[in-house]
């Protein structure tokens, strides 16, 4: 019964997503054939068909109504016994004539496979193939891969990293209530360099993308096999058309920059669900001064990641932060110099290693291969303003005291009202790139599995590499080797989650409420 209710909710969300897409992104009316009748079993559906799109899009529409996966759908009833496949030109199917005559097209396909009795006897983990043992060991923590739908590794990697941000997943599960209270979205956030285009300002488009992301995260959490992110990809390309580019010669979908995809998704989700700003938003206060005129300028901005610039002197992540936060800017005829300081930290801090730059002579993005090391933990205290350091000092003292006492229970999280932020972070996922250009090569995601050994009660060193459809078991040493310096996969985006602390409790106190002196 729980599975049935869960399936019904998913179907309802799929219908909401389709309706939002149809209401928000309307094609030319001349290309739409209204009220085309489709019969599936005992059900009859009236669908407005956009004949400017191929048959695969029509199958996706029917999928949202019937829950029959597109690859299982067979559409029959055309003149001459023809069927509609993925590449069918809908303008030549005579749909207008069918509507005039009141005829229906027949949809064949089952919503799910018929359950069969087990053919093989129960196997133990040790007896499974090596590729399957990993998923069996992780159990409920296992996450499947995402199917590559044509050079979509950039999107798959972003989705996998974002799906491992628990607060984001929870936020999207409740965002419909938030949009009701906030009129469909909050104020626009400031964007990092190269952020999302104006299309993201459309609140309906942001809502459609948030719904697609929510459903995809649920599917990643519950599925035990590869997931096809077709609906999410379609909405992403509708909201952000730059990701729908094809090669002019071959017609193949073009590779895209994962950082641009990340910024587009996060900024759009923040408009649909304002709580996303607290998850990723970093507030920066910048003070600039022109030595020639004595003029000063103060700016406050919110960005969704901290950029690590690369130069000959940058060897570690923190070096790149220092380089980025020290600014020299030309305003009018005057040169201003200064620096930016963090005045508010998020629950998840994203660092972008700025490896890609535009090379004029070849007119495309090139890549800096220099090795930039990073650690499993990150301390951003030195990059904070003096006022904000005072906020962090309380939590840092409590955390140091807890470590000295070896009391694990005092490490709270952002949902704990008694917990204090410390400025300390731990690495949870990494997005990597292999290749010489942002618009070519291959992207993958690496995510930490938070598993505790049942006997020792200590964390297990367990990571997963998501290479599109295929997950691979990895260790922390594999993650730290992603520093760059060659043609191997190297870190491009790093996701850290905040470490919190609260007052230690005296375990010898029977009331359980007395702070330790």
């Amino acid at each position: 019964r729980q599975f049935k209710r869960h399936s019904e909710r998913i179907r309802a969300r799929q219908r909401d997503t389709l309706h939002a897409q149809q209401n928000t992104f309307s094609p030319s009316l001349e290309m739409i054939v209204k009220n085309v009748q489709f019969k599936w079993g005992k059900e009859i559906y009236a669908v407005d068909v956009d004949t400017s799109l191929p048959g695969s899009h029509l199958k996706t529409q029917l999928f949202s109504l019937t829950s029959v996966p597109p690859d299982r759908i067979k559409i029959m009833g055309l003149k001459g016994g023809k069927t509609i496949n993925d590449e069918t030109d809908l303008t030549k199917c005579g749909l207008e004539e069918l509507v005039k005559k009141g005829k229906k097209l027949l949809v064949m396909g089952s919503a799910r496979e018929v359950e069969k009795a087990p053919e093989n006897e129960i196997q133990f983990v040790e007896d499974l193939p090596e590729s399957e043992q990993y998923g069996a060991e992780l159990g409920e923590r296992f996450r499947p891969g995402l199917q590559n739908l044509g050079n979509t590794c950039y999107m798959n990697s972003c989705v996998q990293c974002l799906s491992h941000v628990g607060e984001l997943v929870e936020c999207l599960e409740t965002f419909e209530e938030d949009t009701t209270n906030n009129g469909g979205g909050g104020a626009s956030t400031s964007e990092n360099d190269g952020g999302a285009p104006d299309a993201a300002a459309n609140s309906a488009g942001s809502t459609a993308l948030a719904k697609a992301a929510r459903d995809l995260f649920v599917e990643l959490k519950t599925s035990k096999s590869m997931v096809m992110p077709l609906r999410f990809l379609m909405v992403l390309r509708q909201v952000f058309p730059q990701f729908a580019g094809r090669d002019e010669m071959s017609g193949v979908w073009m590779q895209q920059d994962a950082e641009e995809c990340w910024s587009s998704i996060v900024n759009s989700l923040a408009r649909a669900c304002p709580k996303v700003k607290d998850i990723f938003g970093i507030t920066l206060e910048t003070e600039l001064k022109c030595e020639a005129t004595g003029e000063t300028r103060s700016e406050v901005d919110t960005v969704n990641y901290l950029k690590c610039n690369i130069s000959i002197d940058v060897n570690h992540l923190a070096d790149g932060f220092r380089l980025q936060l020290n600014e020299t800017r030309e305003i009018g005829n005057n040169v201003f110099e200064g620096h930016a300081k963090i005045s508010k930290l998020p629950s998840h801090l994203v660092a972008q290693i700025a490896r890609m730059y535009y090379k004029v002579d070849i007119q495309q993005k090139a890549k800096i291969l220099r090795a930039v090391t990073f650690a499993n933990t990150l301390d951003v205290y030195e990059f904070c303003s003096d006022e904000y350091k005072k906020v962090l000092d309380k939590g840092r003292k409590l955390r140091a005291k807890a470590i000295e006492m070896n009391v694990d229970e005092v490490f709270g999280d952002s949902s704990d009202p008694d917990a204090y932020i410390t400025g300390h972070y731990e690495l949870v996922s990494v997005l990597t790139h292999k290749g010489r250009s942002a618009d070519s090569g291959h992207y993958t995601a690496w995510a930490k599995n938070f598993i505790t050994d049942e006997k020792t009660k200590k964390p297990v060193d367990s990571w997963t590499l998501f290479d599109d459809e295929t997950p691979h078991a990895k260790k922390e040493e594999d993650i730290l080797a992603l520093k760059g310096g060659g043609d191997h996969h190297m870190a491009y985006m790093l996701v850290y989650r905040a470490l919190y602390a609260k007052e230690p409790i005296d375990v010898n106190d029977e009331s359980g409420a007395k702070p330790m002196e």
Side-chain angles (χ1 to χ4, degrees), residues 419-440:
Y420 297 86
I421 193 167
T422 64
H424 292 283
Y425 287 81
E426 65 175 334
L427 188 64
V428 295
S429 63
V430 183
L431 189 153
T432 64
H433 178 262
K434 180 179 181 180
R436 295 290 177 131
S437 170
D439 299 325
S440 63

Side-chain angles (χ1 to χ4, degrees), residues 134-389:
Y134 178 56
E137 290 174 355
L138 286 180
E140 294 183 357
R141 294 181 178 84
F142 172 75
R143 294 293 181 268
L146 289 166
Q147 183 177 353
N148 191 313
L149 300 175
N151 280 334
T152 57
C153 60
Y154 67 93
M155 182 198 74
N156 289 348
S157 300
C158 291
V159 169
Q160 288 287 10
C161 287
L162 290 171
S163 72
H164 283 77
V165 178
E167 290 183 37
L168 177 63
V169 175
E170 294 175 4
C171 175
L172 292 180
E173 289 177 350
T174 59
F175 90 96
E176 286 184 316
E177 178 180 349
D178 292 336
T179 57
T180 300
N181 295 333
N182 292 280
S188 171
T189 59
S190 300
E191 299 169 2
N192 297 77
D193 295 339
D198 293 339
N202 187 314
S203 60
S206 297
T207 299
L209 188 66
K211 288 182 178 181
R214 177 190 60 193
D215 292 346
L216 181 55
F217 290 165
V218 170
E219 194 170 1
L220 282 171
K221 186 176 181 179
T222 58
S223 177
K224 296 302 180 183
S225 59
M226 178 192 70
V227 172
M228 182 174 64
L230 179 60
R231 293 200 319 280
F232 182 83
L233 176 62
M234 291 179 63
V235 177
L236 179 69
R237 286 173 172 167
Q238 288 175 322
V239 181
F240 302 101
Q242 68 267 33
F243 300 120
R246 292 178 181 266
D247 183 82
E248 295 181 357
M249 298 295 292
S250 64
V252 175
W253 296 108
M254 295 176 63
Q255 178 68 286
Q256 305 288 341
D257 186 345
E259 182 275 323
E260 293 180 5
C261 182
W262 180 285
S263 295
S264 298
I265 293 173
V266 171
N267 284 315
S268 185
L269 294 181
R271 290 183 176 91
C273 181
K275 291 181 181 178
V276 174
K277 301 170 191 175
D278 297 326
I279 300 175
F280 297 113
I282 306 166
T283 303
L284 294 177
E285 296 180 353
T286 305
E287 299 291 336
L288 299 171
K289 182 177 181 180
C290 176
E291 294 295 337
T293 64
E295 181 184 356
T296 61
R297 297 173 67 98
S298 297
E299 300 176 356
V300 178
D301 195 13
T302 300
V303 296
N304 288 327
Y305 58 72
L306 203 58
K307 185 177 291 187
C308 168
N309 281 348
I310 301 178
S311 71
I312 191 68
D313 299 318
V314 172
N315 297 302
H316 186 72
L317 190 64
D319 299 331
F321 289 160
R322 296 187 192 98
L323 184 62
Q324 166 65 16
L325 295 175
N326 290 323
E327 289 198 46
T328 299
R329 194 186 306 174
E330 186 174 338
I331 304 176
N333 296 323
N334 299 320
V335 176
F336 288 76
E337 294 183 346
H339 58 271
K341 292 287 186 179
I342 299 173
S343 59
K344 185 179 180 182
L345 286 167
S347 63
H348 287 75
L349 188 146
V350 179
Q352 188 239 343
I353 302 179
R355 295 192 174 278
M356 311 302 178
Y357 68 100
Y358 189 76
K359 199 169 184 180
V360 178
D361 56 344
I362 60 175
Q363 295 187 349
Q364 69 177 28
K365 289 181 181 178
K367 183 177 178 181
I368 301 173
L369 302 179
R370 182 178 179 83
V372 178
T373 61
F374 57 91
N376 190 42
T377 58
L378 176 66
D379 186 1
V380 295
Y381 186 81
E382 69 166 287
F383 306 113
C384 296
S385 65
D386 292 338
E387 287 298 316
Y388 196 60
K389 285 180 179 178

Side-chain angles (χ1 to χ4, degrees), residues 387-437:
E387 287 298 316
Y388 196 60
K389 285 180 179 178
K390 295 177 183 178
V391 176
L392 299 178
D393 285 341
K394 174 69 173 179
R396 294 173 74 86
K397 290 178 181 178
L398 290 174
R399 186 168 186 272
K401 187 175 182 179
I403 293 175
E404 180 181 351
M405 297 166 53
N406 195 26
V407 182
D408 295 334
E409 290 77 8
V410 303
F411 300 121
D413 55 42
S414 60
S415 64
D416 190 337
D418 297 325
Y420 297 86
I421 193 167
T422 64
H424 292 283
Y425 287 81
E426 65 175 334
L427 188 64
V428 295
S429 63
V430 183
L431 189 153
T432 64
H433 178 262
K434 180 179 181 180
R436 295 290 177 131
S437 170

Side-chain angles (χ1 to χ4, degrees), residues 106-121:
L106 182 63
V107 178
M108 303 292 291
S110 58
R112 58 175 179 169
E113 293 184 1
V114 178
E115 295 184 3
K116 299 179 180 179
E119 298 179 355
N120 301 318
E121 61 182 25

